[in-house]
Amino acid sequence: MTGPLPAPGLPALLNGPTRPGVYRLPPADSPAHIAAAAAEADWRVARLRLEGIQDKTSFLERCAAELDLPEWFGRNWDALADCLMDLSWWRETGKFRGYLLIAEDWDAFAEAAPGAARTAESVLADAVDFWADREAPLTVLLS
């Protein structure tokens, strides 16, 4: 489902030739560097730090806190999908060329909670597909 970010990497993603998707962040790229480059290219960036997350409940709580999800977020998979397919809560601060979610420490989360990680990745992929052909697409980078 998830593959590496295709060459030539981030510039092609931010400027159009690479289609939105759920990609693995190349090990040489730091989330901070990627976030700064995306923001400079007028993309809205969110970093989801998953260090220490070992189950579905903790994952959803971390999403609520770090993504600043709306109050109506119900802390379940369907509610996460709803939030990611209605980015009005994220778009309130202006107009952007795209939306980038960087999920950090993904491998540790996937090792600790493989079922939750598979479901989360599926929810993320569905949201990316939903936004792919819109004016401001959503892309997810797993690091």
Side-chain angles (χ1 to χ4, degrees):
M1 178 190 247
T2 302
L5 183 61
L10 189 65
L13 176 67
L14 299 177
N15 296 310
T18 298
R19 285 202 41 86
V22 179
Y23 298 112
R24 290 217 162 258
L25 185 64
D29 291 329
S30 76
H33 172 262
I34 296 296
E40 189 173 305
D42 202 24
W43 280 57
R44 177 82 155 93
V45 180
R47 291 175 64 183
L48 177 61
R49 295 164 185 91
L50 298 175
E51 182 178 359
I53 300 300
Q54 298 188 0
D55 59 32
K56 170 188 171 182
T57 301
S58 298
F59 175 82
L60 293 170
E61 286 297 326
R62 185 68 54 92
C63 286
E66 292 212 346
L67 301 181
D68 198 22
L69 295 178
E71 287 183 23
W72 53 262
F73 174 56
R75 288 166 174 72
N76 59 57
W77 296 124
D78 289 337
L80 181 60
D82 290 345
C83 286
L84 293 174
M85 290 185 197
D86 171 11
L87 294 178
S88 60
W89 54 272
W90 203 9
R91 294 182 295 182
E92 292 175 356
T93 58
K95 187 170 180 156
F96 296 93
R97 291 182 55 216
Y99 297 89
L100 179 64
L101 172 60
I102 304 170
E104 301 175 34
D105 296 309
W106 183 265
D107 290 337
F109 167 59
E111 185 176 319
R118 279 191 302 276
T119 302
E121 190 171 339
S122 178
V123 168
L124 293 169
D126 287 348
V128 166
D129 288 345
F130 178 82
W131 290 102
D133 294 320
R134 289 180 166 70
E135 183 179 345
L138 170 68
T139 291
V140 177
L141 296 177
L142 308 178
S143 74

